[in-house]
Amino acid sequence: EIIQRMTAPITLWIIVRNGGLYALALSIPMALLVVWLLLHSKIKRIENIVSTSKRFADGDLTARAADPIQDDVGEWAARFDDMANTLAHNIVTLRDLARQNVELVQQVEYSAIQQERLRLSRDLHDSVAQRLFSLTVSTRSLPDILQTEPQQGFVHARTVADLAQQT
């Protein structure tokens, strides 16, 4: 009986100690299961934000995370969606501006062509008008020159003919 009384605490200690190991061995997988259950949905939601951002970066301007849950991950998704909306709007605006710039360049080119045509038209008109006036003056004086100086009249007649040819 004395031996039993003396060994009882040791036996109890061994049982508690071994039972504690069993409890520890069971509690670790349970803790991992609880952590997995708590974090699995957040991890999936974060993966959704990452895959959505990759799609957006690859040119899918309609890609949005659209996370309805109001927590930190939902806030990240909402911020991403706001950023994506802003970038998509800016891209549409830049495309519109680029299209308008192309139209303006075409209008400027057309206007420059029209202005050059008008300038050439005026220059041709002025040049032809000057030559015709010169031709008129030269032909009016030709009979007088031929009467007074036939040799000079002959040279003058050739000049008038060349001027008429050029005109």
Side-chain angles (χ1 to χ4, degrees):
E1 189 176 302
I2 294 177
I3 293 177
Q4 278 183 341
R5 282 186 186 185
M6 288 177 61
T7 58
I10 294 172
T11 305
L12 183 62
W13 181 80
I14 289 173
I15 292 171
V16 169
R17 182 172 180 226
N18 286 338
L21 287 177
Y22 292 132
L24 183 63
L26 289 174
S27 67
I28 289 176
M30 291 299 285
L32 291 175
L33 180 63
V34 168
V35 167
W36 184 83
L37 287 172
L38 291 174
L39 294 181
H40 179 71
S41 67
K42 285 193 185 231
I43 290 170
K44 287 291 184 191
R45 291 167 55 215
I46 291 171
E47 287 174 349
N48 178 49
I49 295 171
V50 170
S51 69
T52 301
S53 69
K54 286 179 183 176
R55 284 191 358 246
F56 190 86
D58 289 340
D60 181 2
L61 299 182
T62 63
R64 299 295 183 274
D67 191 321
I69 300 172
Q70 300 291 327
D71 62 356
D72 289 343
V73 176
E75 177 68 23
W76 297 338
R79 287 181 185 224
F80 172 81
D81 290 349
D82 289 345
M83 177 196 66
N85 288 335
T86 300
L87 286 173
H89 175 74
N90 288 345
I91 288 170
V92 168
T93 301
L94 288 174
R95 284 180 183 161
D96 287 345
L97 288 173
R99 183 186 44 77
Q100 289 174 0
N101 282 344
V102 167
E103 290 173 3
L104 287 172
V105 165
Q106 290 172 343
Q107 288 175 2
V108 166
E109 287 175 351
Y110 180 77
S111 178
I113 290 170
Q114 293 302 321
Q115 291 297 323
E116 182 64 12
R117 285 179 179 166
L118 286 173
R119 186 191 66 77
L120 286 173
S121 174
R122 280 191 301 266
D123 288 352
L124 281 172
H125 179 267
D126 292 348
S127 174
V128 169
Q130 287 175 357
R131 286 183 182 191
L132 286 174
F133 179 75
S134 177
L135 191 59
T136 302
V137 170
S138 296
T139 54
R140 279 190 187 155
S141 63
L142 185 59
D144 293 338
I145 296 173
L146 282 173
Q147 262 185 352
T148 57
E149 297 179 39
Q151 188 63 24
Q152 183 69 19
F154 180 73
V155 171
H156 190 69
R158 280 211 190 256
T159 304
V160 169
D162 289 342
L163 184 60
Q165 179 70 30
Q166 291 173 3
T167 305

